[in-house]
Structures are given as C-alpha cells and as structure tokens.
C-alpha cells in the first residue's frame, strides 16, 4: 500500500479533515487537491475503500463513468493511485468520536486520541462506521467488555484464559494462532468444517488440533452461561441438533463487520443538525450542512432526489471542494480550470 | 398478489406484493409505512451480508426455487440462528405461484 499511515504524533494540522475513507472520501482528496487543499482521512477500517473494499471487493460495478466494469477493490486501488500526488494522510483503525469548533476552525478527535485541526470537516461516513457483528443473544450485553470481546486490544489481557474463539475467517484464525501461546486453553468454534481464512493458517490450526494443543468444535453458538458478566460456558447446537456445553471463561467472537451509524449521528445532533432517517441533510450547491464549514458527501447525506451511488458522491465531492476552498483560503479568488489544459493543475498532479 | 410477513415481535402483516420484485425489496418498500417490517438488507441483494434473513413457512419451503450454492454458502457464513427453513429474502423473486407466501423476519435482520 502506498498511502502514508500517520503514527506516533497526536496533534495534526491540515486543511480539511475527512471522516470516512470510502470511495467518496477518497475522491474528495482529489477534488480538494486540485484546488491546493490538503487532507487527512479517518476510518475505522484498517484499509481504505469503505463498502467497496469491505462488502464487495470482488463484485463488479458497471456504472462508473468510462469504466465499463470494475471490481470494488480495483476501484479503490485506482482511486488510491489517482490521489497519490496529493499525499493524503490516513488515520486508519480508529473511530472519529468528536468534532468540535475551535477558534481557527475545527478539531476532529479519534478514539485513539489523535486530534486533527482543520479549516473544514467533511463527513463521508457512508452507511456508517463498520462495527463487529454480534450474535443476536439476549444475554450478550451483560458479558460484553467483561468476558466477551470482538477485538483484541491487548494480547496480554488473554493470558492464562480458557478462551473460545468463534468464527471461520482470517481474524478468527490469525488470533487463534497468535493467542495460543499465551492462553491456558483454546477452542475454535465455527458453524461448519470449512474455513474462509488463508489456507496456510487453516492447515496450521488443523495440525495444532491433531497434536492436542487446541480444540476445534463445529457447532452453532446458542447461548451463554455465567453471572455478573463472567461467562462460564457456551451452549451450542451441533449439526444433528443436539445441544452441548463448552466450558470457558472468555469468548472472542469474529463474525464479520456490519455498518452502524456510530458517533457521527450524535455528533451532528450535538452541533445542532437534525438527522433525517439517520442521514445528514445538506444543500445541493455545496453539500454543506446547516453548520458553516461542516460538509457531508456520499451515502451519509440527504437531499431531495438523493441516489446512493458512487457517481453521485463523486459529483458532491467536486462541488464541496469549491466551497471548502473559501474556508481554507479566505478572500482568495478561485479560478475554474480544466485538468487537460491547466499547467497549474498538471503541476499539482505531478504530470508536468 | 399478497405476501404475509411475521415481524420480529411475532405480529403478522399482509402486504401487497409485486411480481418480479425480490421479497426483500417488497418488505423494505412497506417498511416505510410499517416500521415493524424494517429489514437491514445491507448489501442491497448482492449476497454479501445475510442481513435479509427470513424463515419460510413450512407450507412454502418446497414451493420456492431452491437456494443457489452461493446463497447457501452466504447463509452458513453470515447468518445467526440458521434453520432448515432459512432463506435470504433478497434471493426470492415474487411470482404468481408465490401469491400468499408467508415468511418471518429472522433475528439479525433488524436495521
Ligand atoms: C454489494 C453492494 C453493491 C453496490 N454496487 C454499487 C454499484 O454498482 N454502483 C454504485 O454506484 N454503488 C454501488 N453500491 C453503493 C456504493 O458502494 C456506495 O454508494 C459507496 O460505497 C458510498 O461511498 P461512501 O464513501 O459515501 O461511503 P462508504 O463506502 O460507506 O464508506 C464510509 C466509510 O466511513 C467510515 N466511517 C463512518 N463513520 C466513521 C467514524 N465515525 N469514524 C471512522 N470511520 C467512519 C466507514 O468505516 C466506511 O469505511 C453498492 C453497495 C453494495 C453494498
Ligand atoms: S441483502 Fe445482503 S444478502 Fe440479501
């Protein structure tokens, strides 16, 4: 991957902070870049591309102008290539949790305590932030964060545990192999004896099962037993419908990701923007919200006639940039130019 | 043409169906007036999510076009509370023969 992943520093200064690195957030970097505006992007996913990369990397898209067919991943890769000249800075695997007005503009803060100071903020949060899918079990909330987890923040937290890892994808397999040396016992629980994960990790897991170093259970998770947030066993149903118990003290569940509106909703309300069906109302001239300097583009916004298409998001990004220019360069005149003929734009693109 | 949908609270709704539409689309269309019918259907019928999961009434299971291998795989990967009568409603096309079809919204299909 060619993008710059910001690390270490905690306070950044840029022109525009973009929340969401889906196709629309990515193309916003391009349109802003042509106008000499720098951008930082935040995404909870560990890579750019939003829905295209997470939900349908291999599926074909047929309605991107001039690309008769392109897969979700390919579109993402091409956008990354297109915005490379503008050196956007990515803050990945973190959630934007606050947007606040400052004396000089805005400050966006993430759950990893990264702060980005900018002259304008663009919400390109799409269908919402990707969050772990949870099994629909009534008793689950009682255990969450205490003995049931959906991610590993600190490996050491699992030391000496009797751990069950549920799932059959890469996350489940990778963490099985990674945590086995630190836990007391480990069981991998998957609904069927067929794994989506990388074949070499599956082979390695099967070998460990054969050697008796861990267990593999093929069954459906049906419920949790325990009290005060401490799980003591899982109840599961096997393919033949028989029920069984798996004693354990910790569960790590990897059932993929789903989109939830997340903090963006509450943040808008805090700033006085009333959402419409969980979408952010904007005007159709600049795609700005009712708050000056705060824009919303792509799937997250709403206006009469809105279509949730990548194409529409790209258009919105271009018009947003025209207005954002005036927050970044107050008082300056904006010239309308074509990339074909403007040596100024070509210089920015690094083709001249 | 009618579709009978039991919501996640157990209430029955009889709704107008449209030939050639996906059952998921019909339910989603009615959810605007009837919020109890809200269905997540996150991937918009691309067989990428499993959040349009329904249980098909026993009388109807065998009258449907059986699931493709891709649909079965998606259910096994992405659906909680999988049962023998589980289907992804985005893969069921409404036809004359299915007039009166009865499905129940499954857990995990809520938005
Ligand atoms: C299966 C499928 C097929 C599709 N086919 C087509 C098609 O053929 N043509 C078409 O035009 N469109 C298609 N779409 C729709 C298209 O993918 C969306 O319109 C597009 O992804 C919207 O882009 P976006 O950048 O606005 O949002 P998204 O792609 O949803 O990206 C938003 C990003 O913001 C992040 N985010 C949100 N909130 C936060 C936060 N608080 N902190 C950090 N990160 C956050 C999310 O994690 C996500 O990565 C399809 C969608 C699906 C699911
Ligand atoms: S809507 Fe996603 S699989 Fe049916």
């Amino acid at each position: 991957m060619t993008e710059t992943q910001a690390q270490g520093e905690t306070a950044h200064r840029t022109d525009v902070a973009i929340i969401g690195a889906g196709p629309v957030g990515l193309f916003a970097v391009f349109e802003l870049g042509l106008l000499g505006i720098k951008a930082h992007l935040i995404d909870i996913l560990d890579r750019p591309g939003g829905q295209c990369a997470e939900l349908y990397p291999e599926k074909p898209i047929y309605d991107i102008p001039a690309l008769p067919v392109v897969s979700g991943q390919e579109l993402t890769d091409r956008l990354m290539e297109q915005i490379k000249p503008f050196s956007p800075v990515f803050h990945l695997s973190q959630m934007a949790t606050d947007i606040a007005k400052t004396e000089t503009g805005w400050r966006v803060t993430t759950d990893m305590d990264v702060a980005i100071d900018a002259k304008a903020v663009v919400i390109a949060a799409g269908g919402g932030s990707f969050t772990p899918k949870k099994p629909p079990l009534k008793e689950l909330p009682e255990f969450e964060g205490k003995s049931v987890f959906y991610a590993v923040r600190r490996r050491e937290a699992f030391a000496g545990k009797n751990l069950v890892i549920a799932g059959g994808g890469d996350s489940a397999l990778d963490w099985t192999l990674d945590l086995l040396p630190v836990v007391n016992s480990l069981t991998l629980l998957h609904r069927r004896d067929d794994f989506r994960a990388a074949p070499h990790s599956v082979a390695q897991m099967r070998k460990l099962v054969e050697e008796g170093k861990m267990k593999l259970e093929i069954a459906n998770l049906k419920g949790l037993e325990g009290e005060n947030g401490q799980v003591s066993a899982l109840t599961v149903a096997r393919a033949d419908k028989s029920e069984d118990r798996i004693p354990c003290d910790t569960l790590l569940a990897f059932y993929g990701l789903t989109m939830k509106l997340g903090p963006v909703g509450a943040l808008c309300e805090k700033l006085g923007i009333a959402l419409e069906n969980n979408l952010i109302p904007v005007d159709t001239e600049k795609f700005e919200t009712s708050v000056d300097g705060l824009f919303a583009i792509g799937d997250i916004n709403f206006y009469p006639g809105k279509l949730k298409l990548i194409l529409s998001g790209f258009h919105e990004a271009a018009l947003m940039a025209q207005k954002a220019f005036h927050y970044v360069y107050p008082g300056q005149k904006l010239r309308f130019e074509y990339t074909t003929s403007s040596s100024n734009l070509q210089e920015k693109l690094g083709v001249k | 043409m009618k579709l009978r949908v039991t919501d996640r609270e157990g209430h029955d709704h009889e709704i107008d169906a449209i030939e050639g539409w996906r059952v998921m689309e019909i339910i989603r269309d009615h959810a605007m007036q009837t919020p109890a019918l809200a269905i997540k259907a996150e991937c918009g019928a691309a067989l990428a999510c499993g959040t349009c999961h329904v249980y098909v009434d026993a009388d109807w299971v065998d009258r449907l076009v059986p699931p493709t291998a891709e649909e079965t795989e998606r259910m096994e990967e992405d659906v909680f509370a999988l049962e023998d009568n589980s289907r992804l409603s985005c893969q069921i096309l409404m036809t004359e023969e299915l007039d009166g079809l009865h499905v129940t919204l499954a857990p995990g299909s809520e938005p």
Side-chain angles (χ1 to χ4, degrees):
Chain A
M1 203 136 286
T2 51
E3 82 270 27
T4 323
Q5 163 92 52
Q7 270 169 347
E9 322 100 292
T10 49
H12 302 267
R13 188 171 290 277
T14 187
D15 295 331
V16 171
I18 303 174
I19 299 174
V24 178
L26 293 178
F27 193 64
V29 172
F30 184 81
E31 290 294 334
L32 291 165
L34 285 182
L35 307 185
I37 301 169
K38 297 216 166 335
H40 281 220
L41 300 103
I42 302 163
D43 205 300
I44 185 73
L45 291 180
D46 60 3
R47 63 213 139 91
Q51 294 175 45
C52 301
E54 182 58 35
L55 290 178
Y56 60 106
E58 276 137 40
K59 287 211 158 39
I61 311 173
Y62 298 102
D63 58 350
I64 303 298
L67 287 178
V69 54
V70 64
S71 73
Q73 188 56 50
E74 214 182 325
L75 179 77
T76 306
D77 294 344
R78 287 180 174 227
L79 283 165
M80 289 300 286
E81 186 189 335
Q82 194 169 23
I83 66 179
K84 205 169 155 197
F86 304 116
S87 318
V89 179
F90 287 84
H91 305 271
L92 299 174
S93 305
Q94 48 199 300
M95 182 90 93
T97 45
D98 195 33
I99 307 175
K101 197 102 190 87
T102 63
E103 265 174 33
T104 51
W106 294 92
R107 169 166 284 197
V108 178
T109 322
T110 76
D111 62 353
M112 286 175 56
D113 290 328
V114 169
I116 300 165
D117 289 328
K119 295 287 193 301
V121 175
V122 175
I123 302 177
S129 81
F130 280 96
T131 44
K133 235 186 237 177
K134 301 174 179 183
L137 302 173
K138 300 186 288 306
E139 63 271 33
L140 198 64
E142 172 192 345
F143 298 95
E144 283 176 347
K146 295 191 182 125
S147 57
V148 174
F149 305 92
Y150 305 102
V152 179
R153 288 264 173 192
R154 286 176 41 252
R155 229 175 142 246
E156 306 79 65
F158 296 88
K161 299 289 187 195
N162 296 302
L163 176 67
V164 173
I165 293 183
D170 279 317
S171 308
L173 269 287
D174 290 352
W175 283 115
T176 295
L177 301 176
D178 193 82
L179 292 174
L180 188 58
V182 309
V183 298
N184 183 50
S185 72
L186 196 153
T187 304
L188 178 64
L189 171 68
H190 188 38
R191 335 168 200 234
R192 52 187 193 137
D193 203 0
D194 183 12
F195 293 84
R196 245 182 321 178
H200 66 269
S201 17
V202 177
Q204 214 176 325
M205 178 273 293
R206 292 208 192 272
K207 184 153 168 280
L208 290 164
V209 172
E210 243 165 60
E211 294 167 354
K213 301 209 168 104
M214 59 168 284
K215 281 196 194 147
L216 171 63
E217 296 277 5
I218 304 303
N220 265 310
L221 180 60
K222 285 282 166 177
L224 303 178
E225 290 175 15
E227 54 188 27
N228 301 324
Q230 179 53 58
V231 63
S232 56
L234 308 180
T235 43
V236 299
R238 302 196 179 279
D240 61 7
K241 298 265 140 79
S242 68
E243 298 238 330
D244 208 348
R245 288 175 78 247
I246 304 177
C248 67
D249 54 34
T250 313
L251 169 67
L252 246 178
F254 296 107
Y255 288 123
L257 300 174
T258 183
M259 283 183 289
K260 287 259 156 64
L261 179 61
V264 160
L267 289 177
C268 283
E269 312 240 302
K270 180 189 90 170
L271 294 164
I273 301 165
L275 298 189
E276 248 177 79
N277 281 325
N278 279 345
L279 299 170
I280 307 175
V282 290
D283 65 67
T284 49
E285 187 191 336
K286 341 181 261 316
F287 300 93
E288 199 169 18
T289 65
S290 52
V291 177
D292 286 354
L294 185 63
F295 298 85
I297 58 175
D299 278 14
I300 192 75
N301 75 12
F302 178 78
Y303 51 86
K306 168 72 183 184
L307 284 181
K308 287 190 187 182
L309 286 179
I310 296 166
L311 164 75
S312 320
F314 287 174
H315 160 80
E316 294 159 17
L319 295 204
M320 170 280 293
Q322 296 287 311
K323 178 65 197 263
F325 178 88
H326 295 290
Y327 291 110
V328 179
Y329 300 111
Q332 286 196 29
K333 256 199 150 33
L334 182 54
R335 239 190 325 154
F336 176 77
E337 296 171 291
Y338 289 124
T339 54
T340 321
S341 45
S342 157
S343 51
N344 165 39
L345 294 184
Q346 290 174 359
E347 215 168 280
K348 287 184 181 133
L349 289 167
V351 291
K352 248 255 144 83
Chain B
M1 202 184 291
K2 296 283 184 192
L3 182 64
R4 197 170 132 210
V5 186
T6 307
D7 66 30
R8 286 169 294 260
E9 308 282 290
H11 303 295
D12 265 348
H13 306 263
E14 199 179 52
I15 61 180
D16 286 320
I18 304 170
E19 174 150 29
W21 280 39
R22 300 163 191 272
V23 166
M24 176 276 280
E25 293 167 333
I26 297 169
I27 298 174
R28 194 172 58 184
D29 200 44
H30 284 273
M32 309 217 189
Q33 289 95 49
T34 318
L37 291 179
I39 184 164
K40 184 156 190 167
E42 174 169 81
C43 78
L47 265 187
C49 73
T51 56
C52 60
H53 178 202
V54 296
Y55 300 121
V56 176
D57 187 86
D59 290 344
W60 286 92
V61 173
D62 297 332
R63 288 146 82 177
L64 299 181
V65 179
T68 58
E70 206 189 345
E71 180 184 343
T72 304
E73 190 185 332
R74 179 54 57 206
M75 287 196 283
E76 282 173 349
E77 293 285 355
D78 271 336
V79 156
F80 293 106
L82 188 66
E83 299 293 343
D84 292 337
N85 59 341
S86 284
R87 287 296 301 264
L88 295 178
S89 60
C90 72
Q91 302 301 308
I92 309 174
L93 277 189
M94 206 58 201
T95 57
E96 279 297 342
E97 298 80 71
L98 296 186
D99 188 6
L101 173 66
H102 178 197
V103 300
T104 301
L105 297 178
S109 64
E110 61 277 0

